[in-house]
Amino acid sequence: MTGVYILLCKNGRFYVGSTNLLKRRMFQHQHGSVLSTKYILPINLKAFIPCENLTVARKLERKIKKSKSRKIIESYIEKYPFSETLEHSD
């Protein structure tokens, strides 16, 4: 499943990333393989925004990160909350 994901980290901050395999990427985050989140575990997947392809996902990821707005991130979480049914469609 390709898209942008939003994590809530132990320190209360959000992490925004993109992937073409959500299960694999979450495994990498949860096991400390991603330097950006390694020291702020545990993480909680709050939202997943499906995208056509990885190029579209990366563009959206950059747009969200450039905004530097917690309100914008929270609006994406409200609009695209992660659900377990999404996780199993990989």
Side-chain angles (χ1 to χ4, degrees), residues 1-6 17-19 22 47-54 56-58 60 76 79-83 86 89:
M1 179 180 337
T2 302
V4 175
Y5 59 93
I6 300 173
S18 55
T19 187
L22 184 58
F48 183 78
I49 307 155
C51 296
E52 271 181 50
N53 56 53
L54 200 51
V56 173
R58 299 252 193 260
L60 179 57
Y76 277 105
K79 190 171 181 180
Y80 299 98
F82 175 73
S83 70
L86 268 180
S89 64

Side-chain angles (χ1 to χ4, degrees), residues 8-86:
L8 179 61
C9 303
K10 175 177 79 172
N11 62 3
R13 299 181 97 178
F14 290 112
Y15 175 88
V16 179
S18 55
T19 187
N20 59 349
L21 281 172
L22 184 58
K23 281 184 181 182
R24 180 202 64 208
R25 193 63 175 150
M26 288 304 300
F27 180 87
Q28 291 169 337
H29 279 292
Q30 292 167 340
H31 291 86
S33 301
V34 180
L35 188 59
S36 301
T37 57
K38 184 176 184 171
Y39 299 105
I40 48 178
L41 294 173
I43 50 141
N44 184 7
L45 181 59
K46 300 302 281 181
F48 183 78
I49 307 155
C51 296
E52 271 181 50
N53 56 53
L54 200 51
T55 302
V56 173
R58 299 252 193 260
K59 286 180 182 176
L60 179 57
E61 175 191 357
R62 280 194 298 275
K63 178 182 172 185
I64 294 170
K65 286 180 174 180
K66 276 180 80 175
S67 76
K68 296 186 180 189
S69 170
R70 188 173 183 92
K71 284 184 182 180
I72 288 174
I73 292 173
E74 288 171 344
S75 73
Y76 277 105
I77 292 170
E78 191 174 309
K79 190 171 181 180
Y80 299 98
F82 175 73
S83 70
E84 293 299 319
T85 54
L86 268 180

